[in-house]
Amino acid sequence: AQTVTQSQPEMSVQEAETVTLSCTYDTSESNYYLFWYKQPPSRQMILVIRQEAYKQQNATENRFSVNFQKAAKSFSLKISDSQLGDTAMYFCAETSYDKVIFGPGTSLSVIP
Amino acid sequence: GAGVSQSPSNKVTEKGKDVELRCDPISGHTALYWYRQSLGQGLEFLIYFQGNSAPDKSGLPSDRFSAERTGGSVSTLTIQRTQQEDSAVYLCASSSTSRAAGYTFGSGTRLTVV
């Protein structure tokens, strides 16, 4: 079975600092996609960044970037210049045939 | 519509009652998904629709749970004879045919069974 693991249940970072959230996954697919979603207290799930497995270049979206290590099946998220609005649950996810499966999440708190 | 709409946003029901949760996906999105999120937990897949058919309903936890989708649009998730362990946030998402696009989620329905 395909699984997504996030080993850090909770993390905190000082405002304006950089933080990295870890994710490992397991898949039997040769072509797949990886995502990071953010869920603030409002409950709305928001897509932060996506990575296509066949692309070696790491995806970047403004202050958010990933470190994709395909052989190690690792997909970490780096948040630069952390802002108070980044406080949220962060879920790593991968495509599994016709659906997406999610990791258990990391609760990130940005401290003023 | 502009986004995925779910109703109601909150529902409190008595144990043993039936509930219906509604999801209105983004217009033109052919795929629709239901997930369950228990307090402080990740997202548990329930069921997936492509058009009106459900190729994957492997995540439905029991026969008390059912879902349908009509007209390739609105979907209803029904829970019969609710139990306290059904209390959770039920999230709906829709997507286009491309897996690369990811999902657009609704804001969820928080179900509390008392």
Side-chain angles (χ1 to χ4, degrees):
Chain A
Q2 292 174 245
T3 56
V4 178
T5 302
Q6 295 178 250
S7 59
Q8 306 149 314
E10 295 182 3
M11 294 190 72
S12 62
V13 62
Q14 291 290 137
E15 193 175 5
E17 297 295 309
T18 296
V19 64
T20 299
L21 280 58
S22 301
C23 172
T24 58
Y25 63 94
D26 189 17
T27 182
S28 55
E29 293 185 79
S30 58
N31 185 26
Y32 54 93
Y33 300 87
L34 298 163
F35 309 93
W36 278 97
Y37 282 86
K38 167 185 177 181
Q39 187 180 43
S42 67
R43 211 164 70 196
Q44 181 74 53
M45 291 280 284
I46 302 164
L47 178 62
V48 174
I49 197 166
R50 68 169 66 92
Q51 175 79 41
E52 299 172 70
Y54 62 88
K55 286 190 176 180
Q56 292 185 331
Q57 185 174 5
N58 289 324
T60 299
E61 288 287 342
N62 301 312
R63 298 183 295 108
F64 298 87
S65 61
V66 298
N67 183 5
F68 175 46
Q69 301 290 325
K70 190 172 183 178
K73 293 183 178 176
S74 170
F75 183 61
S76 61
L77 174 70
K78 185 172 82 172
I79 306 174
S80 303
D81 185 26
S82 297
Q83 300 176 0
L84 297 179
D86 296 334
T87 292
M89 282 290 290
Y90 287 81
F91 293 97
C92 179
E94 66 165 337
T95 52
S96 173
Y97 303 100
D98 290 330
K99 61 182 180 286
V100 173
I101 59 172
F102 292 82
T106 295
S107 177
L108 177 67
S109 297
V110 179
I111 303 166
Chain B
V4 178
S5 177
Q6 290 189 249
S7 60
S9 57
N10 290 283
K11 174 73 175 179
V12 179
T13 190
E14 292 182 351
K15 178 181 174 180
K17 300 282 190 182
D18 297 352
V19 295
E20 285 189 352
L21 312 180
R22 176 187 168 105
C23 173
D24 199 343
I26 290 175
S27 178
H29 277 190
T30 57
L32 185 147
Y33 308 81
W34 284 98
Y35 286 81
R36 179 169 71 174
Q37 185 178 26
S38 300
L39 184 63
Q41 302 297 310
L43 278 70
E44 174 190 5
F45 169 78
L46 297 178
I47 188 169
Y48 150 63
F49 287 93
Q50 181 63 249
N52 290 337
S53 63
D56 189 348
K57 53 179 78 172
S58 63
L60 294 177
S62 75
D63 58 9
R64 296 187 296 104
F65 287 73
S66 63
E68 66 175 11
R69 188 180 184 193
T70 56
S73 181
V74 173
S75 176
T76 302
L77 177 68
T78 301
I79 309 173
Q80 296 177 308
R81 305 181 303 281
T82 52
Q83 304 293 312
Q84 288 186 329
E85 62 262 28
D86 299 333
S87 296
V89 174
Y90 290 82
L91 290 165
C92 175
S94 69
S95 71
S96 65
T97 54
S98 169
R99 296 197 304 163
Y103 292 172
T104 301
F105 279 87
S107 297
T109 294
R110 180 179 298 281
L111 175 66
T112 303
V113 182
V114 298

